[in-house]
Amino acid sequence: MPPPRRRLSRRDRAVRADAIAQIHGGVAHRGDLRKREVTRADVRTEVAAGRWTRCGRHTVLIGTGRPTGAALWWRAVWESGSGSRLDGLAALEASGLTGFEAPAIDVSIPSNNRRHRVQGVRLHQRSLMPPAGAAGVPRVDVPHAAVHAAVWAATDRQAALVLCLVLQQRLTTPSRLLEAWAASTVRVRRERRALVDDVLRDLCDGAHSLGELDFASMCRARGLPEPSRQVVRTLPGGRVYLDVCWEDIGLAVEIDGGQHALALNTVDDALRQNEIVLGGSRVLRIPVVGLRLSPDRFMAQVVDAHRRWSRGVA
């Protein structure tokens, strides 16, 4: 028989466990600890002494208190079941998304695998798992996670926001986002499907986004005269085309597609708008996604502007 394994000292346990926890947000998987010869008995000793904290069947916090941040992501995939991956907003946050905090951690798991419910985790059984993301915590890749986050969002506004953010922060490309939406097998309500279709077209395919003809019909429905479309102006920076314009009162409306929020487009847009204003026109800007989500509020501003300036109010 092999000689009994020598128990590690407290210091050795701490050093080995810390090395694992440093790459997992402060937690360690029991299997990884065993590979470093930190036994079940060692874990029990540390937990009993109040130096470590059990956080599930597999997860140990190497310290006291509660897991936070990335530790919660690792706990979610370790405790949910074999083959689990972060999905939705949690996967996007793990991939670098900022400006949007997930209310719960979405995890996808193969439908044939045994699953376990975990507090703070929403499980999604998948007959076909979406592609995996980069190294680190197991997660769905950005395009598919973004699509799923939009489908699972609590409101239409949140759905549109997450799609905007992944493009603005350059976590994926418009073409990959469209491909993920076309290939998605996630279940979605008819109304949300229509919204995601529209928003993705607005964000990813500016040439076919909500255009001036639609805007003109919105104007007619509110008693406004139909504006001119694609009006040419010669500015110091060259010729530009205004989306819609009431030339008799010098009011223009620029409808910004999703591409306007990317890279240096906002700088170019600001210079262009300033030149138009210095040339004597007034300009309202409407993001096309905003026109999808809050048409009445934006159109109320257009009606108010037309009424003010048609009466000569400065």
Side-chain angles (χ1 to χ4, degrees):
M1 293 179 61
R5 180 179 298 173
R6 181 179 64 85
R7 290 287 300 274
L8 296 174
S9 67
R10 174 181 168 184
R11 180 182 179 281
D12 285 341
R13 289 196 293 264
V15 169
R16 299 182 188 203
D18 286 343
I20 298 171
Q22 284 179 8
I23 59 176
H24 297 102
V27 293
H29 192 288
R30 286 175 177 269
D32 291 333
L33 290 171
R34 287 195 295 272
K35 291 176 183 177
R36 298 296 300 273
E37 298 185 338
V38 180
T39 66
R40 291 185 177 90
D42 291 328
V43 173
R44 285 196 299 269
T45 298
E46 294 298 318
V47 171
R51 291 186 289 269
W52 297 355
T53 308
R54 291 181 56 190
C55 299
R57 296 175 305 115
H58 305 294
T59 310
V60 180
L61 175 66
I62 308 304
T64 58
R66 296 182 177 181
T68 59
L72 291 173
W73 299 334
W74 286 101
R75 171 180 171 267
V77 296
W78 288 341
E79 300 295 330
S80 294
S82 177
S84 295
R85 294 177 192 159
L86 296 181
D87 205 340
L89 277 173
L92 296 177
E93 287 186 89
S95 297
L97 181 75
T98 60
F100 204 132
E101 185 175 347
I105 298 177
D106 287 298
V107 169
S108 284
I109 185 171
S111 56
N112 292 333
N113 290 9
R114 180 177 297 178
R115 62 193 183 280
H116 305 274
R117 297 208 172 274
V118 181
Q119 185 177 8
V121 174
R122 294 187 300 204
L123 274 178
H124 305 271
Q125 293 178 268
R126 308 297 298 272
S127 57
L128 179 64
M129 288 290 286
V137 60
R139 62 190 184 272
V140 172
D141 71 0
V142 168
H144 290 82
V147 165
H148 299 163
V151 169
W152 297 332
T155 66
D156 288 347
R157 184 179 183 84
Q158 290 180 2
L161 176 59
V162 70
L163 294 173
C164 291
L165 288 177
V166 295
L167 292 176
Q168 289 173 356
Q169 297 179 21
R170 296 184 173 274
L171 298 181
T172 189
T173 64
S175 60
R176 292 193 65 201
L177 200 55
L178 287 171
E179 289 172 3
W181 176 236
S184 176
T185 59
V186 69
R187 299 177 68 177
V188 51
R189 302 191 320 272
R190 182 175 61 183
E191 296 81 3
R192 182 58 58 82
R193 178 174 292 279
L195 174 83
V196 175
D197 273 335
D198 289 340
V199 170
L200 283 177
R201 186 168 69 248
D202 295 339
L203 293 173
C204 302
D205 191 1
H208 296 91
S209 64
L210 181 65
E212 299 78 41
L213 289 176
D214 290 317
F215 183 80
S217 68
M218 298 171 80
C219 291
R220 289 193 299 271
R222 290 163 175 80
L224 294 177
E226 185 168 332
S228 301
R229 299 186 293 275
Q230 293 297 307
V231 176
V232 180
R233 292 285 177 85
T234 301
L235 302 175
R239 296 176 65 187
V240 300
Y241 292 85
L242 302 180
D243 290 335
V244 295
C245 186
W246 288 272
E247 296 178 86
D248 56 332
I249 61 172
L251 173 62
V253 176
E254 290 285 74
I255 303 173
D256 295 336
Q259 71 277 9
H260 285 261
L262 303 178
L264 296 178
N265 288 342
T266 53
V267 175
D268 296 336
D269 288 343
L271 290 169
R272 179 170 175 258
Q273 176 170 327
N274 292 345
E275 289 179 350
I276 295 170
V277 171
L278 290 171
S281 293
R282 303 170 176 95
V283 180
L284 295 181
R285 302 202 78 91
I286 303 178
V288 68
V289 174
L291 201 53
R292 294 279 186 200
L293 298 175
S294 303
D296 291 337
R297 293 181 64 184
F298 278 111
M299 291 307 299
Q301 292 178 337
V302 175
V303 170
D304 185 37
H306 192 278
R307 182 182 297 116
R308 285 168 178 263
W309 290 314
S310 62
R311 293 175 180 173
V313 179

